[in-house]
Amino acid sequence: MSNAGLPPLPSSDRPDAAARLRDALLGASFTADGLLDLLGAPAYAALARSETVPALRATRGDTPLETLVRLFLLQQTVPHTRAAAVLPVDVCLESGWLRRTDAGEVAATVDVRPYGGPDGEDWFIVSDLGCAVGGAGGIGSTAEGVVLGVGGASTTLAGITVRTPVASALDIGTGSGIQALHTARHATRVTATDVNPRALHITALTLALSGAPAADLREGSLFTPVRDDETFDLIVSNPPFVISPGARLTYRDGGMGGDDLCRTLVQQSGERLNEGGFAQFLANWQHVEGEDWQDRLRSWVPRGCDAWIVQREVQDVTQYAELWLRDAGDHRGDTAEYRARYDAWLDEFEARKAKAVGFGWITLRRSGSAVPSVTVEEWPHPVEQPLGDTVRAHFDRLGYLRSHDDAALLEARFRLADEVVQEQVGLPGAEDPEHVVLRQNRGMRRATRVDTIGAGFAGVCDGSMSAGRILDAIAQLLGEDPVVLRDRTPAQIRLLVEQGFLEPVG
């Protein structure tokens, strides 16, 4: 891959320079909280929309923090003396974080964006100039090899990732290093790969500037840089999942036909996972004429893995093409060229009989089970982030249900999950509700309809009595046959456990 034409990057072999720069940034409160205090909510939100005018107006003073915002976030030049009042300028110039301009001022060579870690850590995400998503230059670039910063996809993947301590983790397509940075908090050894050597360089800068341990950085596509005997406890990837004609933009276009890159990534992950290990990805997939999209995704799941696949959004092919043409700024260029590119996208979809594209999350867990559990669902509704604990609990419940037949389930004890409420729906004044809904206020925030017995059962579950004893009591209260009730209710209990309304006790 050629990175010709892109500006030189700071040295990744100067940890002393990164450490001194970090100290200076923190000393001036160049943090996520500091930016919000300085800019105010409207200007801070405008940055996320790639609008810089409010932030420029809010940084017209000469405080250290205003200097750093204009330098590293807004890509403005500042006088040498002003920069020297807040930064170790000579070290930054020597190591390449800053450059001198012809006018004798200094300018940043990379975007540096403050990023708050999950436990209040002050991190910094490095990216190419004009490519800190939500920063000065917008969300995309047509330059080959350019490395973007943090976007919505990056934070989504970070939020759904299971964060249990692990010995080894692999970040495929690391980009600016955001997933490697998160993973370094709970993994003893982090390996990060990317087909773009510039991305590996920037990942090293992100980790160093954030005060995180260095990762094992390797160049190559997908699992190519991984040795045949290497396996991991956690694999994460925000891959270049965009389904496009060709591989025009490295940071988003996978270069394989259709959704083959995402399929290949998922299918090859199984043999790279240790027992009990997780693999978590963002992905796009085609909705092909005459084919069930859920069956398509089930066919991707590797042998020996449980899977949970959640479709969060679907766009028809015209919406999808327009989204990514605008991402690259093509709509602002020559009209004829834009129409030609648009045509090429639609030609590609037509050739593959694709009528829409889905976006969502794919999580695998290596279970070794001969009968794995594969859940494929559509859930476009709001969820609670971070969701990593919810994801882990989902797979734990699958394992529990697999190991408990109906008889064992009736001997088990359960408790109603936290913040589950019951809603009764019916006509005003009616003696009985038409139906009862259980609703979660945490995690996936699901809602499920239950019958009177299911609602009564869930309401009594506090972990003190077995499921069978509760059903016997309900049968006596309603005058029903307890044997019949025990026979027909386990399926409903399984559903409530699988969806997280009930939690096994002990």
Side-chain angles (χ1 to χ4, degrees):
M1 173 180 295
S2 171
N3 288 319
L6 294 175
L9 294 171
S11 171
S12 59
D13 298 325
R14 290 288 306 272
D16 59 318
R20 290 188 62 183
L21 175 56
R22 173 178 171 79
D23 288 343
L25 297 178
L26 294 177
S29 296
F30 186 67
T31 64
D33 290 341
L35 285 184
L36 182 58
D37 290 341
L38 171 69
L39 302 178
Y44 191 78
L47 275 180
R49 302 190 301 270
S50 304
E51 296 291 348
T52 60
V53 171
L56 286 167
R57 292 175 62 85
T59 55
R60 289 175 290 188
D62 59 359
T63 67
L65 181 53
E66 288 171 297
T67 298
L68 294 176
V69 171
R70 292 181 74 87
L71 192 60
F72 286 112
L73 269 187
L74 304 177
Q75 281 85 65
Q76 302 295 302
T77 61
V78 302
H80 185 283
T81 54
R82 183 174 169 184
V86 63
L87 292 172
V89 169
D90 291 342
V91 173
C92 290
L93 287 169
E94 181 186 347
S95 56
W97 289 95
L98 298 176
R99 63 176 179 83
R100 288 186 177 88
T101 70
D102 293 339
E105 297 187 320
V106 296
T109 58
V110 287
D111 272 304
V112 175
R113 183 178 179 87
Y115 180 84
D119 291 327
E121 300 94 341
D122 288 316
W123 290 340
F124 301 97
I125 309 301
V126 180
S127 62
D128 270 311
L129 288 172
C131 296
V133 177
I139 62 171
S141 172
T142 56
E144 182 184 4
V146 74
V147 179
L148 269 62
V150 180
S154 301
T155 55
T156 294
L157 179 58
I160 68 172
T161 300
V162 176
R163 297 297 176 192
T164 52
V166 295
S168 58
L170 173 64
D171 175 18
I172 298 175
T174 188
S176 60
I178 178 62
Q179 308 307 327
L181 182 57
H182 275 277
T183 305
R185 295 176 56 251
H186 61 102
T188 304
R189 176 172 56 88
V190 177
T191 302
T193 71
D194 205 290
V195 70
N196 183 1
R198 190 174 181 87
L200 298 176
H201 190 141
I202 284 181
T203 291
L205 298 176
T206 290
L207 294 173
L209 195 59
S210 298
D216 179 3
L217 304 176
R218 306 181 192 176
E219 182 181 347
S221 176
L222 299 180
F223 290 97
T224 303
V226 178
R227 298 192 306 271
D228 291 342
D229 61 345
E230 279 187 292
T231 54
F232 301 88
D233 302 310
L234 174 66
I235 300 173
V236 294
S237 182
N238 176 20
F241 52 66
V242 176
I243 300 172
S244 60
R248 178 179 166 215
L249 301 177
T250 306
Y251 68 84
R252 70 173 202 190
D253 302 325
M256 295 186 184
D259 51 18
D260 283 354
L261 183 135
C262 291
R263 175 185 57 79
T264 301
L265 177 62
V266 173
Q267 290 181 336
Q268 293 183 355
S269 295
E271 61 187 12
R272 297 296 185 174
L273 279 177
N274 292 326
E275 193 71 17
F278 285 94
Q280 298 187 260
F281 316 110
L282 300 186
N284 278 183
W285 44 79
Q286 297 172 137
H287 286 227
V288 178
E289 186 178 343
E291 179 180 274
D292 186 292
W293 69 271
Q294 294 182 326
D295 289 341
R296 181 182 187 85
L297 291 174
R298 287 189 184 96
S299 72
W300 291 9
V301 178
R303 183 175 300 177
C305 290
D306 293 333
W308 185 17
I309 302 173
V310 182
Q311 180 167 273
R312 296 287 288 162
E313 184 180 1
V314 182
Q315 290 186 323
D316 67 51
V317 292
T318 59
Q319 292 174 307
Y320 189 81
E322 290 162 14
L323 169 68
W324 294 109
L325 287 167
R326 288 178 178 274
D327 170 79
D330 292 325
H331 63 298
R332 295 191 295 266
D334 179 78
T335 301
E337 185 176 352
Y338 172 76
R339 294 181 63 180
R341 290 189 187 279
Y342 200 152
D343 260 335
W345 282 69
L346 296 185
D347 285 345
E348 177 79 6
F349 286 127
E350 185 177 325
R352 296 183 178 278
K353 298 183 178 180
K355 56 184 180 180
V357 177
F359 168 83
W361 319 324
I362 298 177
T363 300
L364 309 176
R365 188 178 196 180
R366 185 80 185 177
S367 66
S369 172
V371 186
S373 172
V374 177
T375 301
V376 183
E377 62 177 323
E378 185 165 16
W379 192 255
H381 312 294
V383 299
E384 179 190 39
Q385 283 279 35
L387 206 63
D389 288 345
T390 299
V391 173
R392 177 187 51 77
H394 170 86
F395 285 91
D396 287 347
R397 292 193 301 269
L398 292 182
Y400 174 88
L401 292 172
R402 184 160 44 220
S403 64
H404 286 68
D405 60 17
D406 286 356
L409 209 62
L410 293 174
E411 291 298 319
R413 292 174 293 125
F414 302 94
R415 62 178 292 273
L416 192 65
D418 293 336
E419 297 194 36
V420 172
V421 298
Q422 176 179 304
E423 300 173 358
Q424 297 187 8
V425 181
L427 294 174
E431 184 175 346
D432 296 314
E434 294 180 13
H435 60 264
V436 179
V437 173
L438 298 180
R439 187 178 302 278
Q440 301 168 346
N441 288 315
R442 301 294 305 273
M444 292 292 287
R445 294 175 173 159
R446 295 186 186 278
T448 189
R449 184 183 296 189
V450 293
D451 59 20
T452 303
I453 292 172
F457 178 86
V460 175
C461 283
D462 61 2
S464 63
M465 289 194 300
S466 70
R469 287 185 60 193
I470 293 175
L471 291 177
D472 290 344
I474 292 175
Q476 185 176 9
L477 182 65
L478 299 179
E480 296 208 20
D481 185 336
V483 175
V484 173
L485 202 59
R486 278 174 171 256
D487 185 58
R488 78 178 195 220
T489 309
Q492 190 169 187
I493 296 174
R494 286 186 180 278
L495 179 63
L496 292 175
V497 171
E498 180 181 343
Q499 294 190 344
F501 291 93
L502 295 178
E503 298 174 348
V505 174

